[in-house]
Amino acid sequence: MEKIIYEKGIRFKCQGSSNCCVTRGSNGYVFLSKKDLSRLAKYFNLSLIKFKNNYCQTTDGFIHLKETRKNGECIFLKNKKCTIYKARPTQCRTWPFWPENMNVKMWNNNVINFCPGIGKGKLVNKKKIEKLIKIDEKNAKEIYKDKN
């Protein structure tokens, strides 16, 4: 049985590095569920169609935020700050507590080195981490279900 790396909780506080807002290797697309799309369209006071046309692309049938900047930065990142923070997609809300990040090898070899917020701030307890993981998993299922 694999060890649960967050059994005693994990200290995490965003440090504003914006590392998670920049494409790196195969990681990068910010996939959007219908709930994310609705929240963002409402935030911009746009119809769903106009929001999708202005800010989204589809790759392999999945809707995601456009990747238009050559340096891989999110289109909503400005001066290392998220300009849509209150309406940000679920994928952004649950970082770094994604199911794929929660195994020892990924966490120790990738996430810790990539995210300066790990080990800082208040302890995020096991219950909260599991809640975020479930939110991310549910969102991913919705994205796959809604695949074009």
Side-chain angles (χ1 to χ4, degrees):
M1 186 167 135
E2 189 171 313
K3 179 183 172 189
I4 298 175
I5 63 167
Y6 54 90
E7 187 68 44
K8 295 180 181 176
I10 294 173
R11 290 195 180 283
F12 175 72
K13 181 171 184 357
C14 179
Q15 301 297 296
S17 72
S18 72
N19 288 355
C20 55
C21 305
V22 179
T23 299
R24 57 189 172 91
S26 63
N27 300 318
Y29 289 135
V30 177
F31 293 106
L32 303 170
S33 63
K34 282 184 180 176
K35 186 176 178 181
D36 290 325
L37 288 164
S38 295
R39 183 185 323 110
L40 288 161
K42 183 178 179 181
Y43 180 81
F44 283 97
N45 198 26
L46 293 172
S47 70
L48 201 54
I49 291 170
K50 281 195 175 187
F51 178 80
K52 284 171 144 180
N53 287 340
N54 291 343
Y55 300 108
C56 299
Q57 291 175 302
T58 302
T59 301
D60 297 329
F62 296 101
I63 298 170
H64 58 88
L65 293 178
K66 281 184 180 177
E67 293 215 345
T68 57
R69 297 186 178 170
K70 290 181 182 175
N71 61 0
E73 284 185 357
C74 175
I75 59 173
F76 297 118
L77 188 66
K78 186 173 183 179
N79 298 321
K80 290 191 167 195
K81 298 285 183 203
C82 177
T83 60
I84 61 164
Y85 190 80
K86 289 185 178 188
R88 70 196 184 282
T90 303
Q91 186 176 324
C92 304
R93 291 170 185 267
T94 57
W95 173 264
F97 303 111
W98 297 347
E100 61 269 26
N101 287 346
M102 295 288 97
N103 74 65
V104 174
K105 194 178 259 186
M106 175 64 94
W107 191 263
N108 290 336
N109 295 334
N110 192 354
V111 180
I112 286 176
N113 297 319
F114 171 75
C115 180
I118 306 297
K120 308 238 177 26
K122 293 182 180 178
L123 189 71
V124 181
N125 66 37
K126 179 182 175 185
K127 187 175 179 181
K128 175 70 173 174
I129 292 169
E130 287 178 341
K131 181 180 179 185
L132 291 167
I133 290 169
K134 284 181 182 168
I135 290 168
D136 189 70
E137 287 175 331
K138 182 179 178 189
N139 190 63
K141 284 179 185 174
E142 290 297 315
I143 289 169
Y144 276 97
K145 185 180 86 174
D146 297 335
K147 183 180 174 188
N148 293 338

